[in-house]
Amino acid sequence: MTSITTLCPSSNNFQGPIPDSLSSCQSLRNLDLARNKFGGGIPFQFKNLQALKFLSLGNTGINNISTALEILQDCKNLTILDLGLNFNHEEMPNNVNLQFRNLKALIIPFCFLRGSLPIWLSGCKMLQLLDLSWNSLGGFIPFWVGDFRSLFYLDLSNNSFSGEIPESLTGLESLVHNTVLLKELFAVIPLVKSSEQGGRRLPYNNIWSLPPTIDLSFNKLTGPIWPSFGNLKNLHFLSLKENNLSGTIPESISGMRNSEVLDLSRNKLSGEIPNSLVHLSFLSKFNVAYNELYGNIPSGGQFMTFPDSSFEGNEALCYRRLRPCQTKQIHPLVSPGKKKKIVDYNFGFGAAVGFVLTVASCFKSGWVLSEG
């Protein structure tokens, strides 16, 4: 057992505590214990697994996330950590001394953790993938989330984050310059993804297949959609659905030229849909339903393929088939029910003054008729 490098007894219905004897596998690099029924906490001896790079304990019934992270931070080579579907309703630890310097993927969804985004995350400079969806985290999304140079997958959906979207997110280097680096990571990871509240959970079996993503849907975010989102040329999936965002949809968002999914539905966005979006040739899903948009829906490009449901709930928005825009009519000069005026007040006053001056001039020059 001391020379084993990969151990994957996942999905086996094992019960009882996690065996601390696993810590004797000093050469262990990949350990997948997901989808079992262990319960309890992570053995203290796991801190001796210095060769460990990949660890998945998702959906195993473990508890005490604070102690778990304190133990696992001693696994200095840990690259991928999956702890999802555990720690039900616990508090997200905010211990500033936690350090995961080599961590590239942190996956803790479906735990309904309370608290806020912890400051220790800002020290994970190598982070490429962060999934904290389906928790109960709140407060502002801190500006330092945009400082991760290699972050290409960010899922903070289905939480209670408030305030504005940090503009720093629009400068994520890997999404601006196409520098996704996950190819060297362990291939199989049981990442669970659900795009709709209460929807079916979809596992990604290959981490390489994950599209460059920013998912902030189902939160309480306010403020504008920053024009600088157009800088994210390598972003494939952007969902800001079900927030309280306001303002217009920026023309510059068409700069996200690799965009496949753009969901801005159920906000308070106003104005017209920019015609520049017809140039997004890879766009397969577009949704702006239930906003306050008006005017014509752009025609051409991928817009010819989107269903009317992508635009519903915007009372002043013109549907191609259901509610086409009416041709503008010239308004009558006179309001209905009112008498027409031959001349207005200003014209009448000017004519009277002119008449008086003309008569006066005639008297002065002698051009008047005699009485006889």
Side-chain angles (χ1 to χ4, degrees):
M1 289 284 287
T2 57
S3 60
I4 192 170
T5 59
T6 298
L7 185 61
C8 298
S10 59
S11 303
N12 274 293
N13 203 30
F14 290 135
Q15 300 183 31
I18 298 173
D20 54 18
S21 58
L22 290 172
S23 62
S24 62
C25 304
Q26 296 296 305
S27 300
L28 193 61
R29 300 179 63 189
N30 305 307
L31 178 59
D32 185 358
L33 299 174
R35 299 175 299 281
N36 283 292
K37 298 179 180 179
F38 291 117
I42 293 177
F44 180 78
Q45 294 87 343
F46 265 38
K47 63 168 47 184
N48 298 323
L49 296 173
Q50 294 299 303
L52 192 64
K53 286 192 171 186
F54 170 85
L55 175 62
S56 178
L57 291 167
N59 197 11
T60 54
I62 59 174
N63 54 38
N64 201 338
I65 187 173
S66 295
T67 300
L69 292 175
E70 288 175 7
I71 293 170
L72 294 175
Q73 70 174 333
D74 286 328
C75 302
K76 301 301 183 183
N77 287 305
L78 194 60
T79 301
I80 298 179
L81 178 59
D82 174 23
L83 299 173
L85 289 109
N86 294 300
F87 316 116
N88 198 24
H89 295 285
E90 292 186 22
E91 185 85 13
M92 172 67 84
N94 204 20
N95 183 352
V96 296
N97 295 318
L98 288 174
Q99 294 184 359
F100 290 88
R101 303 201 173 195
N102 290 312
L103 199 63
K104 294 184 178 179
L106 179 62
I107 303 152
I108 319 180
F110 292 97
C111 296
F112 304 100
L113 296 172
R114 296 173 287 110
S116 58
L117 276 185
I119 187 64
W120 58 265
L121 269 179
S122 64
C124 302
K125 302 296 185 184
M126 306 287 288
L127 207 59
Q128 298 181 37
L129 184 152
L130 177 61
D131 184 358
L132 296 177
S133 61
W134 293 88
N135 283 292
S136 300
L137 302 174
F140 293 171
I141 300 176
F143 72 92
W144 46 257
V145 174
D147 293 340
F148 296 116
R149 297 186 61 184
S150 302
L151 188 67
F152 82 97
Y153 188 100
L154 175 66
D155 191 349
L156 300 179
S157 65
N158 295 279
N159 279 283
S160 296
F161 292 112
S162 57
E164 293 186 345
I165 299 171
E167 194 171 4
S168 59
L169 275 183
T170 66
L172 284 169
E173 190 168 327
S174 64
L175 298 180
V176 173
H177 300 298
N178 192 13
T179 54
V180 177
L181 302 172
L182 269 176
K183 296 257 180 174
E184 78 272 16
L185 298 185
F186 191 67
V188 178
I189 182 169
L191 176 61
V192 174
K193 174 71 178 172
S194 178
S195 59
E196 301 290 341
Q197 277 194 323
R200 190 162 56 98
R201 297 172 180 176
L202 303 175
Y204 285 108
N205 292 323
N206 192 330
I207 200 168
W208 299 353
S209 69
L210 294 175
T213 291
I214 294 178
D215 191 347
L216 304 178
S217 60
F218 294 98
N219 278 287
K220 300 176 181 178
L221 298 169
T222 57
I225 297 174
W226 301 110
S228 47
F229 265 108
N231 297 333
L232 303 178
K233 301 177 182 64
N234 192 46
L235 185 64
H236 290 209
F237 182 107
L238 175 62
S239 180
L240 305 177
K241 177 179 182 177
E242 197 81 41
N243 281 286
N244 292 305
L245 301 174
S246 57
T248 60
I249 301 173
E251 286 269 356
S252 57
I253 207 169
S254 61
M256 300 189 309
R257 58 192 182 207
N258 285 305
S259 183
E260 298 175 27
V261 175
L262 178 57
D263 195 339
L264 309 177
S265 61
R266 298 184 182 273
N267 282 284
K268 297 178 180 177
L269 300 173
S270 57
E272 298 184 279
I273 301 173
N275 281 315
S276 59
L277 297 185
V278 301
H279 301 302
L280 296 176
S281 55
F282 297 109
L283 198 60
S284 60
K285 179 181 178 183
F286 177 76
N287 198 338
V288 290
Y290 298 97
N291 279 285
E292 299 168 8
L293 302 170
Y294 59 81
N296 285 302
I297 295 172
S299 58
Q302 294 296 98
F303 274 81
M304 304 305 294
T305 68
F306 303 139
D308 287 326
S309 60
S310 296
F311 307 100
E312 65 187 9
N314 294 278
E315 293 303 319
L317 196 63
C318 306
Y319 288 69
R320 289 185 299 272
R321 297 180 289 274
L322 301 181
R323 191 171 63 237
C325 280
Q326 299 296 320
T327 304
K328 290 185 178 179
Q329 298 180 349
I330 299 175
H331 295 289
L333 296 176
V334 181
S335 299
K338 293 187 178 180
K339 294 181 179 180
K340 294 183 179 180
K341 295 181 179 179
I342 303 299
V343 293
D344 65 9
Y345 172 79
N346 291 330
F347 178 81
F349 179 77
V353 171
F355 176 76
V356 171
L357 291 176
T358 301
V359 172
S361 176
C362 289
F363 270 104
K364 186 174 181 180
S365 61
W367 287 89
V368 292
L369 294 174
S370 64
E371 294 180 2

Tab-separated table of all heavy atoms in Angstrom, residues 41-83:
chain	number	residue	atom	x	y	z
A	41	GLY	N	-15.525	13.208	10.492
A	41	GLY	CA	-14.581	14.179	9.962
A	41	GLY	C	-13.442	13.529	9.202
A	41	GLY	O	-13.334	12.302	9.110
A	42	ILE	N	-12.585	14.375	8.645
A	42	ILE	CA	-11.394	13.891	7.941
A	42	ILE	C	-10.339	13.496	8.976
A	42	ILE	O	-10.087	14.243	9.931
A	42	ILE	CB	-10.846	14.992	7.012
A	42	ILE	CG1	-11.836	15.253	5.875
A	42	ILE	CG2	-9.495	14.606	6.440
A	42	ILE	CD1	-11.420	16.368	4.938
A	43	PRO	N	-9.726	12.325	8.841
A	43	PRO	CA	-8.699	11.910	9.806
A	43	PRO	C	-7.558	12.922	9.902
A	43	PRO	O	-7.086	13.439	8.886
A	43	PRO	CB	-8.198	10.571	9.249
A	43	PRO	CG	-9.315	10.070	8.393
A	43	PRO	CD	-9.947	11.290	7.814
A	44	PHE	N	-7.128	13.174	11.116
A	44	PHE	CA	-6.029	14.115	11.341
A	44	PHE	C	-4.769	13.674	10.601
A	44	PHE	O	-3.976	14.495	10.140
A	44	PHE	CB	-5.761	14.211	12.854
A	44	PHE	CG	-4.658	15.140	13.209
A	44	PHE	CD1	-4.861	16.510	13.227
A	44	PHE	CD2	-3.401	14.643	13.528
A	44	PHE	CE1	-3.820	17.373	13.568
A	44	PHE	CE2	-2.361	15.494	13.865
A	44	PHE	CZ	-2.576	16.864	13.883
A	45	GLN	N	-4.583	12.362	10.449
A	45	GLN	CA	-3.374	11.831	9.813
A	45	GLN	C	-3.282	12.148	8.316
A	45	GLN	O	-2.223	11.978	7.716
A	45	GLN	CB	-3.299	10.309	10.012
A	45	GLN	CG	-3.103	9.867	11.454
A	45	GLN	CD	-4.427	9.731	12.191
A	45	GLN	OE1	-5.463	10.258	11.755
A	45	GLN	NE2	-4.397	9.021	13.321
A	46	PHE	N	-4.380	12.630	7.735
A	46	PHE	CA	-4.344	12.962	6.303
A	46	PHE	C	-3.326	14.066	6.004
A	46	PHE	O	-2.899	14.226	4.863
A	46	PHE	CB	-5.739	13.385	5.830
A	46	PHE	CG	-6.533	12.264	5.230
A	46	PHE	CD1	-6.468	10.974	5.757
A	46	PHE	CD2	-7.358	12.470	4.139
A	46	PHE	CE1	-7.200	9.930	5.206
A	46	PHE	CE2	-8.098	11.433	3.576
A	46	PHE	CZ	-8.021	10.160	4.112
A	47	LYS	N	-2.932	14.806	7.008
A	47	LYS	CA	-1.944	15.870	6.782
A	47	LYS	C	-0.580	15.290	6.385
A	47	LYS	O	0.287	16.012	5.887
A	47	LYS	CB	-1.806	16.743	8.014
A	47	LYS	CG	-1.279	16.036	9.247
A	47	LYS	CD	-0.889	17.010	10.354
A	47	LYS	CE	-1.951	18.060	10.597
A	47	LYS	NZ	-1.526	19.063	11.608
A	48	ASN	N	-0.425	13.984	6.564
A	48	ASN	CA	0.847	13.340	6.187
A	48	ASN	C	0.893	12.947	4.707
A	48	ASN	O	1.934	12.478	4.232
A	48	ASN	CB	1.073	12.090	7.050
A	48	ASN	CG	1.190	12.430	8.520
A	48	ASN	OD1	1.769	13.460	8.883
A	48	ASN	ND2	0.644	11.574	9.381
A	49	LEU	N	-0.207	13.122	3.981
A	49	LEU	CA	-0.248	12.752	2.566
A	49	LEU	C	0.386	13.862	1.722
A	49	LEU	O	-0.295	14.613	1.018
A	49	LEU	CB	-1.696	12.486	2.125
A	49	LEU	CG	-2.380	11.288	2.801
A	49	LEU	CD1	-3.852	11.230	2.420
A	49	LEU	CD2	-1.681	9.988	2.417
A	50	GLN	N	1.689	13.947	1.792
A	50	GLN	CA	2.409	15.048	1.157
A	50	GLN	C	2.467	14.952	-0.361
A	50	GLN	O	2.695	15.958	-1.041
A	50	GLN	CB	3.830	15.120	1.716
A	50	GLN	CG	3.900	15.503	3.187
A	50	GLN	CD	3.300	16.883	3.435
A	50	GLN	OE1	3.727	17.873	2.847
A	50	GLN	NE2	2.296	16.943	4.302
A	51	ALA	N	2.246	13.753	-0.907
A	51	ALA	CA	2.268	13.593	-2.371
A	51	ALA	C	0.889	13.826	-2.994
A	51	ALA	O	0.766	13.891	-4.219
A	51	ALA	CB	2.778	12.205	-2.746
A	52	LEU	N	-0.137	13.970	-2.162
A	52	LEU	CA	-1.522	14.029	-2.643
A	52	LEU	C	-1.758	15.267	-3.499
A	52	LEU	O	-1.494	16.404	-3.082
A	52	LEU	CB	-2.479	14.025	-1.452
A	52	LEU	CG	-3.955	13.794	-1.771
A	52	LEU	CD1	-4.170	12.406	-2.357
A	52	LEU	CD2	-4.807	13.974	-0.504
A	53	LYS	N	-2.301	15.044	-4.713
A	53	LYS	CA	-2.632	16.144	-5.618
A	53	LYS	C	-4.133	16.274	-5.833
A	53	LYS	O	-4.650	17.383	-5.953
A	53	LYS	CB	-1.945	15.952	-6.971
A	53	LYS	CG	-0.450	16.224	-6.944
A	53	LYS	CD	0.083	16.301	-8.364
A	53	LYS	CE	1.524	16.802	-8.348
A	53	LYS	NZ	2.028	17.023	-9.724
A	54	PHE	N	-4.815	15.142	-5.931
A	54	PHE	CA	-6.253	15.148	-6.187
A	54	PHE	C	-6.976	14.456	-5.046
A	54	PHE	O	-6.660	13.322	-4.684
A	54	PHE	CB	-6.552	14.427	-7.509
A	54	PHE	CG	-8.014	14.162	-7.742
A	54	PHE	CD1	-8.823	15.132	-8.313
A	54	PHE	CD2	-8.588	12.952	-7.386
A	54	PHE	CE1	-10.182	14.892	-8.518
A	54	PHE	CE2	-9.940	12.703	-7.589
A	54	PHE	CZ	-10.738	13.690	-8.164
A	55	LEU	N	-7.979	15.149	-4.459
A	55	LEU	CA	-8.769	14.555	-3.387
A	55	LEU	C	-10.242	14.896	-3.611
A	55	LEU	O	-10.613	16.069	-3.695
A	55	LEU	CB	-8.334	15.085	-2.022
A	55	LEU	CG	-9.185	14.615	-0.822
A	55	LEU	CD1	-9.118	13.100	-0.670
A	55	LEU	CD2	-8.720	15.298	0.469
A	56	SER	N	-11.066	13.856	-3.722
A	56	SER	CA	-12.508	14.048	-3.840
A	56	SER	C	-13.208	13.335	-2.695
A	56	SER	O	-13.108	12.119	-2.548
A	56	SER	CB	-13.034	13.516	-5.177
A	56	SER	OG	-14.444	13.674	-5.242
A	57	LEU	N	-13.891	14.136	-1.884
A	57	LEU	CA	-14.706	13.613	-0.785
A	57	LEU	C	-16.151	14.078	-0.950
A	57	LEU	O	-16.903	14.141	0.018
A	57	LEU	CB	-14.142	14.088	0.559
A	57	LEU	CG	-12.790	13.489	0.963
A	57	LEU	CD1	-12.190	14.250	2.136
A	57	LEU	CD2	-12.961	12.023	1.321
A	58	GLY	N	-16.545	14.376	-2.185
A	58	GLY	CA	-17.888	14.866	-2.432
A	58	GLY	C	-18.960	13.848	-2.106
A	58	GLY	O	-18.826	12.661	-2.404
A	59	ASN	N	-20.013	14.325	-1.433
A	59	ASN	CA	-21.179	13.493	-1.122
A	59	ASN	C	-20.803	12.252	-0.308
A	59	ASN	O	-21.157	11.124	-0.648
A	59	ASN	CB	-21.888	13.083	-2.422
A	59	ASN	CG	-23.301	12.593	-2.187
A	59	ASN	OD1	-23.849	12.741	-1.086
A	59	ASN	ND2	-23.896	11.998	-3.202
A	60	THR	N	-20.093	12.492	0.776
A	60	THR	CA	-19.703	11.398	1.662
A	60	THR	C	-20.268	11.559	3.073
A	60	THR	O	-20.016	10.706	3.936
A	60	THR	CB	-18.165	11.291	1.764
A	60	THR	OG1	-17.628	12.561	2.145
A	60	THR	CG2	-17.560	10.847	0.444
A	61	GLY	N	-21.000	12.648	3.314
A	61	GLY	CA	-21.608	12.845	4.624
A	61	GLY	C	-20.662	13.360	5.684
A	61	GLY	O	-20.990	13.323	6.881
A	62	ILE	N	-19.473	13.844	5.297
A	62	ILE	CA	-18.527	14.327	6.303
A	62	ILE	C	-18.986	15.690	6.837
A	62	ILE	O	-19.775	16.395	6.212
A	62	ILE	CB	-17.098	14.432	5.735
A	62	ILE	CG1	-17.057	15.387	4.537
A	62	ILE	CG2	-16.580	13.062	5.352
A	62	ILE	CD1	-15.644	15.640	4.031
A	63	ASN	N	-18.457	16.056	8.000
A	63	ASN	CA	-18.818	17.326	8.612
A	63	ASN	C	-17.566	18.040	9.127
A	63	ASN	O	-16.448	17.556	8.970
A	63	ASN	CB	-19.843	17.118	9.745
A	63	ASN	CG	-19.348	16.102	10.774
A	63	ASN	OD1	-18.170	16.057	11.099
A	63	ASN	ND2	-20.262	15.263	11.272
A	64	ASN	N	-17.806	19.211	9.714
A	64	ASN	CA	-16.742	20.046	10.294
A	64	ASN	C	-15.765	20.544	9.222
A	64	ASN	O	-14.613	20.111	9.150
A	64	ASN	CB	-15.998	19.299	11.394
A	64	ASN	CG	-15.279	20.275	12.329
A	64	ASN	OD1	-15.001	21.421	11.959
A	64	ASN	ND2	-14.974	19.809	13.532
A	65	ILE	N	-16.242	21.482	8.403
A	65	ILE	CA	-15.417	21.997	7.308
A	65	ILE	C	-14.203	22.768	7.815
A	65	ILE	O	-13.135	22.757	7.182
A	65	ILE	CB	-16.260	22.878	6.355
A	65	ILE	CG1	-15.443	23.261	5.124
A	65	ILE	CG2	-16.812	24.099	7.071
A	65	ILE	CD1	-16.224	23.976	4.058
A	66	SER	N	-14.324	23.416	8.958
A	66	SER	CA	-13.190	24.182	9.497
A	66	SER	C	-12.000	23.273	9.787
A	66	SER	O	-10.871	23.548	9.375
A	66	SER	CB	-13.606	24.924	10.771
A	66	SER	OG	-14.584	25.895	10.485
A	67	THR	N	-12.255	22.170	10.478
A	67	THR	CA	-11.181	21.231	10.796
A	67	THR	C	-10.660	20.558	9.530
A	67	THR	O	-9.444	20.334	9.388
A	67	THR	CB	-11.680	20.162	11.786
A	67	THR	OG1	-12.124	20.815	12.984
A	67	THR	CG2	-10.579	19.176	12.130
A	68	ALA	N	-11.557	20.241	8.614
A	68	ALA	CA	-11.144	19.592	7.372
A	68	ALA	C	-10.125	20.451	6.614
A	68	ALA	O	-9.092	19.944	6.156
A	68	ALA	CB	-12.358	19.320	6.498
A	69	LEU	N	-10.392	21.737	6.498
A	69	LEU	CA	-9.487	22.614	5.761
A	69	LEU	C	-8.175	22.826	6.512
A	69	LEU	O	-7.105	22.933	5.903
A	69	LEU	CB	-10.173	23.959	5.488
A	69	LEU	CG	-11.353	23.896	4.511
A	69	LEU	CD1	-12.038	25.257	4.408
A	69	LEU	CD2	-10.893	23.441	3.128
A	70	GLU	N	-8.242	22.879	7.822
A	70	GLU	CA	-7.012	23.034	8.612
A	70	GLU	C	-6.094	21.826	8.435
A	70	GLU	O	-4.862	21.969	8.400
A	70	GLU	CB	-7.370	23.223	10.092
A	70	GLU	CG	-7.975	24.585	10.383
A	70	GLU	CD	-8.441	24.708	11.834
A	70	GLU	OE1	-8.158	23.780	12.624
A	70	GLU	OE2	-9.084	25.718	12.163
A	71	ILE	N	-6.680	20.622	8.319
A	71	ILE	CA	-5.874	19.420	8.103
A	71	ILE	C	-5.320	19.382	6.683
A	71	ILE	O	-4.126	19.152	6.468
A	71	ILE	CB	-6.727	18.159	8.375
A	71	ILE	CG1	-7.082	18.066	9.866
A	71	ILE	CG2	-5.999	16.894	7.915
A	71	ILE	CD1	-8.102	16.991	10.183
A	72	LEU	N	-6.173	19.640	5.717
A	72	LEU	CA	-5.788	19.469	4.308
A	72	LEU	C	-4.809	20.529	3.823
A	72	LEU	O	-4.106	20.314	2.819
A	72	LEU	CB	-7.041	19.457	3.428
A	72	LEU	CG	-7.975	18.266	3.653
A	72	LEU	CD1	-9.241	18.414	2.808
A	72	LEU	CD2	-7.276	16.945	3.318
A	73	GLN	N	-4.724	21.665	4.493
A	73	GLN	CA	-3.757	22.673	4.064
A	73	GLN	C	-2.306	22.186	4.217
A	73	GLN	O	-1.404	22.713	3.569
A	73	GLN	CB	-3.946	23.973	4.850
A	73	GLN	CG	-3.540	23.888	6.311
A	73	GLN	CD	-3.606	25.232	7.011
A	73	GLN	OE1	-3.461	26.283	6.371
A	73	GLN	NE2	-3.817	25.209	8.315
A	74	ASP	N	-2.126	21.145	5.023
A	74	ASP	CA	-0.785	20.585	5.183
A	74	ASP	C	-0.398	19.654	4.045
A	74	ASP	O	0.764	19.245	3.951
A	74	ASP	CB	-0.681	19.836	6.516
A	74	ASP	CG	-0.618	20.783	7.709
A	74	ASP	OD1	-0.060	21.890	7.548
A	74	ASP	OD2	-1.146	20.442	8.774
A	75	CYS	N	-1.359	19.339	3.179
A	75	CYS	CA	-1.045	18.571	1.966
A	75	CYS	C	-0.563	19.570	0.922
A	75	CYS	O	-1.345	20.076	0.098
A	75	CYS	CB	-2.281	17.809	1.473
A	75	CYS	SG	-2.976	16.663	2.690
A	76	LYS	N	0.707	19.877	0.962
A	76	LYS	CA	1.269	21.027	0.234
A	76	LYS	C	1.156	20.906	-1.282
A	76	LYS	O	1.227	21.918	-1.981
A	76	LYS	CB	2.730	21.220	0.627
A	76	LYS	CG	2.956	21.471	2.111
A	76	LYS	CD	2.215	22.720	2.575
A	76	LYS	CE	2.492	23.030	4.048
A	76	LYS	NZ	1.725	24.194	4.538
A	77	ASN	N	0.989	19.697	-1.808
A	77	ASN	CA	0.901	19.520	-3.260
A	77	ASN	C	-0.537	19.402	-3.761
A	77	ASN	O	-0.757	19.148	-4.948
A	77	ASN	CB	1.684	18.272	-3.695
A	77	ASN	CG	3.189	18.496	-3.611
A	77	ASN	OD1	3.712	19.437	-4.201
A	77	ASN	ND2	3.878	17.639	-2.860
A	78	LEU	N	-1.501	19.607	-2.867
A	78	LEU	CA	-2.902	19.449	-3.239
A	78	LEU	C	-3.275	20.437	-4.342
A	78	LEU	O	-3.098	21.649	-4.208
A	78	LEU	CB	-3.790	19.656	-2.010
A	78	LEU	CG	-5.241	19.207	-2.133
A	78	LEU	CD1	-5.330	17.712	-2.439
A	78	LEU	CD2	-6.011	19.528	-0.846
A	79	THR	N	-3.806	19.886	-5.438
A	79	THR	CA	-4.125	20.685	-6.623
A	79	THR	C	-5.621	20.788	-6.850
A	79	THR	O	-6.128	21.854	-7.189
A	79	THR	CB	-3.457	20.063	-7.870
A	79	THR	OG1	-2.047	20.024	-7.669
A	79	THR	CG2	-3.763	20.867	-9.110
A	80	ILE	N	-6.353	19.686	-6.693
A	80	ILE	CA	-7.808	19.665	-6.855
A	80	ILE	C	-8.434	19.153	-5.572
A	80	ILE	O	-8.073	18.084	-5.077
A	80	ILE	CB	-8.240	18.764	-8.025
A	80	ILE	CG1	-7.681	19.278	-9.345
A	80	ILE	CG2	-9.761	18.693	-8.123
A	80	ILE	CD1	-8.052	18.416	-10.536
A	81	LEU	N	-9.396	19.927	-5.044
A	81	LEU	CA	-10.083	19.544	-3.814
A	81	LEU	C	-11.589	19.655	-4.023
A	81	LEU	O	-12.117	20.733	-4.288
A	81	LEU	CB	-9.641	20.445	-2.656
A	81	LEU	CG	-10.328	20.194	-1.306
A	81	LEU	CD1	-10.097	18.755	-0.832
A	81	LEU	CD2	-9.812	21.191	-0.261
A	82	ASP	N	-12.278	18.512	-3.913
A	82	ASP	CA	-13.728	18.460	-4.055
A	82	ASP	C	-14.347	18.017	-2.743
A	82	ASP	O	-14.137	16.889	-2.294
A	82	ASP	CB	-14.120	17.496	-5.185
A	82	ASP	CG	-15.633	17.300	-5.266
A	82	ASP	OD1	-16.372	18.176	-4.788
A	82	ASP	OD2	-16.069	16.268	-5.818
A	83	LEU	N	-15.121	18.933	-2.133
A	83	LEU	CA	-15.781	18.644	-0.862
A	83	LEU	C	-17.287	18.861	-0.954
A	83	LEU	O	-17.957	19.021	0.067
A	83	LEU	CB	-15.200	19.538	0.246
A	83	LEU	CG	-13.710	19.389	0.539
A	83	LEU	CD1	-13.254	20.453	1.542
A	83	LEU	CD2	-13.388	17.997	1.066
